[in-house]
Amino acid sequence: MLIVLPPSETKAAGGTGGPLQLDDLSFPELNPTRRKLLDALSTLADDVPESLRVLKLTERQIDEVHRNTELWDSPTTPALRRYTGVLYDALDIPSLSTAEQERAGERLAVASALFGLLRGNDMIPAYRLSAGNSLPGVGSLRRVWRAALEPVLAEISGLVLDLRSSAYAALAAIPGAVGLRVLSENELGQRKVISHHNKAHKGKLARAVVQADAEPETVEDVIDLAHDAGLRVERESARQLCLVVPA
């Protein structure tokens, strides 16, 4: 099974790994596109005002641009530790056992505007680039990644649970993937979609999957292990689940 997580705009600083080595990353077919984007982003970083404009950042976020000047030289850390924020706080990788962290590296992947798709244990530097950005000399990331990423995603076998946000799902389709909506339900049984706060619940579901000894092979397996973890997951259709939380 593979769960594809959205990334986060916020990223932890530093790392204990050496500089980025593309050949060590999963999905090596993506390396030509990764290299093109890395070079374009690091070149852009030499022009701070233009970087702020292109990346849609404010003056207070200038440190994000400085990170991009060191993409090839800064220390790396596993992707699941690099990304921070609500979802990754709920996933809470540091609190998992060694075996669970190993399973997280195998069962979890992260969509990335810069790297396309990463396994959870792939070593990456801190960077700033979002799915909706367009880079000078490269163009729209949607156009760039669709051509490179969709053939790779089409080769993924087994159950795939797609938890990406809409912006990252637009980069490339995952054939046959099962989606997830997070819904709140009030005491009258009325439901509505949760937007921003859905991230914490997605993190909890991902955590439940990596804590399970047996790898889920079917949607029913995911529903069962979610139930065991105190999460209410229901099947809406063949390719859609919903996670229901109290309003």
Side-chain angles (χ1 to χ4, degrees):
M1 178 190 187
L2 188 67
I3 295 183
V4 182
L5 301 173
S8 61
E9 298 292 1
T10 56
K11 299 172 184 69
T16 58
L20 175 66
Q21 299 293 327
L22 288 184
D23 290 342
D24 292 339
L25 298 182
S26 304
F27 312 106
E29 307 95 317
L30 301 177
N31 282 347
T33 303
R34 289 166 172 164
R35 184 176 296 278
K36 179 194 301 184
L37 293 176
L38 283 157
D39 287 343
L41 189 58
S42 59
T43 298
L44 175 64
D46 292 335
D47 187 336
V48 173
E50 182 67 0
S51 289
L52 294 176
R53 185 191 68 80
V54 169
L55 302 179
K56 302 175 184 178
L57 303 175
T58 68
E59 291 284 349
R60 290 182 297 179
Q61 296 171 293
I62 197 168
D63 287 346
E64 299 287 301
V65 176
H66 294 159
R67 285 180 167 185
N68 288 346
T69 66
E70 303 174 339
L71 294 173
W72 292 108
D73 304 308
S74 58
T76 57
T77 201
L80 291 177
R81 291 178 180 266
R82 177 65 72 197
Y83 297 103
T84 60
V86 175
L87 187 153
Y88 293 91
D89 287 345
L91 176 58
D92 195 9
I93 286 292
S95 72
L96 295 174
S97 69
T98 300
E100 290 167 345
Q101 290 188 33
E102 290 177 356
R103 291 199 291 268
E106 298 168 356
R107 298 178 188 176
L108 303 183
V110 183
S112 167
L114 184 57
F115 296 103
L117 189 68
L118 298 162
R119 292 280 184 179
N121 53 8
D122 282 336
M123 303 290 287
I124 59 169
Y127 67 92
R128 182 60 182 251
L129 185 67
S130 301
N133 294 147
S134 295
L135 291 177
V138 175
S140 164
L141 295 185
R142 292 184 182 183
R143 180 184 60 80
V144 171
W145 277 124
R146 185 170 290 116
L149 189 52
E150 284 195 343
V152 174
L153 294 173
E155 293 296 319
I156 297 175
S157 60
L159 176 64
V160 178
L161 186 58
D162 186 1
L163 304 189
R164 295 176 297 171
S165 60
S166 57
Y168 284 87
L171 294 181
I174 307 177
V178 177
L180 177 79
R181 298 197 303 161
V182 181
L183 308 176
S184 66
E185 182 179 79
N186 65 21
E187 58 187 12
L188 298 178
Q190 298 168 325
R191 296 179 175 182
K192 66 178 182 179
V193 175
I194 298 176
S195 54
H196 173 72
H197 295 292
N198 70 29
K199 297 176 182 178
H201 303 292
K202 289 178 177 179
K204 291 176 183 177
L205 179 59
R207 182 179 175 89
V209 167
V210 300
Q211 287 185 306
D213 291 332
E215 181 175 357
E217 296 181 355
T218 67
V219 169
E220 288 71 25
D221 290 341
V222 174
I223 293 173
D224 289 343
L225 71 84
H227 179 269
D228 292 342
L231 301 173
R232 181 182 170 190
V233 174
E234 301 174 356
R235 189 165 198 162
E236 289 189 301
S237 66
R239 297 296 180 189
Q240 187 70 47
L241 297 176
C242 66
L243 196 164
V244 183
V245 299

